[in-house]
Amino acid sequence: LQLRPERKNTCHISNYAYFLIISNLVFTVLGLLVLVLGMWGLISKQSFAQEKIGSIGTDPMLVFLTLGFVLTVLCLSGCVGALRENCTLLKLFSAAVLALITAQVLAAIVAYSLQVQVGGYLRSGMLAAMVRYQDDLDLRFITDEIQSNLQCCGADNYRDWELNIYYNCSAPGVLACGVPATCCVDPLENGTVWNSQCGLGAQLLDEFSAQSVIFLGGCLGGMSRWIEQHEGVIGTVGIIVLGVQIVTLFITTRLLESIQWHKVYV
């Protein structure tokens, strides 16, 4: 009479373990890719050089490095815990997943309730990125991607580039009173050649004349419009990601219960 429940329980343990092993292996590979990306970014920019090591704490690539490391360690603990049926590792893994779920829910609530303040932080961040545009390759890449993809220029409008010492109208260089080429409506000549000088002198133009050369609207408004247009997709992806984490937590809890029951009654 006791053989059937024992076999059934063993099957349950295997199914739970297989699910956790496979899912955590997938996310471990993803974490390693993010980790390698962050390390590659730091090495390619020589961020570990003596003259740059002092500012490494503000390097955006450090975010990828930290995220990849945390994701890799977390998923490996879950994978090894499920493979070895180690209760200690599984408990640590489930606690970390629970903390992650809680942090995401709290972050979503705070972001929704403090939309005005979040918008202010975004504005301050983008203005700071524009100030350091010529000196930080990461910030330049991010700013260019935002401006070209959202077809915008500056934080509020194209005249925000006056904040940059190279694009300031009092600057001595050729960039004075200009904007980056990613602000241009058509930065390509004949559709093939990138014209890096298409934004020169754009700040000297009035809005009527400038609208045929550069994008007048700021990127903060572009971001708001993009979020409004894709809020359904963003919400769906967020729910799916949160759902996967909740299912993982549930499976881990069930696996722990099955292991403990198996140790007691078998």
Side-chain angles (χ1 to χ4, degrees):
L1 294 174
Q2 294 181 352
L3 290 177
R4 289 184 179 179
E6 286 178 8
R7 291 177 181 176
K8 184 178 181 181
N9 186 61
T10 303
C11 180
H12 282 180
I13 293 177
S14 298
N15 289 337
Y16 295 145
Y18 289 151
F19 175 84
L20 286 178
I21 291 170
I22 294 173
S23 61
N24 279 293
L25 278 177
V26 172
F27 284 104
T28 298
V29 173
L30 178 62
L32 287 173
L33 290 176
V34 176
L35 182 64
V36 170
L37 175 63
M39 184 61 70
W40 172 82
L42 291 174
I43 294 174
S44 64
K45 295 186 302 176
Q46 300 180 342
S47 298
F48 296 106
Q50 186 175 0
E51 63 273 12
K52 295 182 179 180
I53 194 69
S55 60
I56 194 173
T58 59
D59 196 312
M61 285 294 132
L62 197 62
V63 176
F64 290 97
L65 192 68
T66 305
L67 180 62
F69 177 77
V70 171
L71 185 60
T72 301
V73 172
L74 175 62
C75 293
L76 274 179
S77 67
C79 185
V80 175
L83 184 65
R84 301 294 300 272
E85 295 186 353
N86 186 303
C87 291
T88 302
L89 283 177
L90 289 174
K91 287 178 181 178
L92 290 174
F93 175 73
S94 60
V97 173
L98 179 60
L100 187 61
I101 292 172
T102 304
Q104 290 175 93
V105 172
L106 289 177
I109 294 173
V110 170
Y112 182 79
S113 59
L114 301 176
Q115 295 182 49
V116 176
Q117 289 87 336
V118 171
Y121 292 141
L122 284 176
R123 184 176 185 276
S124 299
M126 185 158 191
L127 290 175
M130 292 166 63
V131 170
R132 299 174 55 193
Y133 179 80
Q134 297 288 354
D135 305 317
D136 192 307
L137 294 178
D138 292 316
L139 293 179
R140 182 192 301 183
F141 173 78
I142 294 171
T143 303
D144 284 341
E145 286 297 304
I146 291 174
Q147 291 190 149
S148 58
N149 290 323
L150 295 181
Q151 297 185 344
C152 57
C153 187
D156 298 310
N157 56 63
Y158 66 101
R159 297 192 185 278
D160 288 337
W161 282 103
E162 176 78 11
L163 295 171
N164 186 281
I165 60 173
Y166 299 98
Y167 292 110
N168 188 286
C169 288
S170 61
V174 68
L175 297 177
C177 273
V179 294
T182 49
C183 284
C184 296
V185 175
D186 185 17
L188 300 178
E189 293 180 350
N190 300 323
T192 56
V193 181
W194 181 265
N195 180 12
S196 60
Q197 299 181 342
C198 61
L200 296 184
Q203 293 185 53
L204 296 173
L205 302 175
D206 58 73
E207 292 190 0
F208 181 78
S209 303
Q211 65 182 348
S212 61
V213 180
I214 61 173
F215 301 114
L216 301 182
C219 294
L220 294 178
M223 290 180 189
S224 298
R225 289 190 295 273
W226 187 89
I227 292 174
E228 290 176 359
Q229 293 171 359
H230 298 85
E231 59 183 4
V233 176
I234 295 173
T236 301
V237 172
I239 291 173
I240 291 174
V241 172
L242 191 63
V244 169
Q245 295 173 27
I246 293 174
V247 170
T248 301
L249 180 61
F250 173 76
I251 294 295
T252 305
T253 304
R254 293 293 297 165
L255 178 58
L256 277 168
E257 292 175 352
S258 297
I259 293 173
Q260 292 170 350
W261 187 93
H262 193 74
K263 288 180 178 179
V264 172
Y265 294 100
V266 177

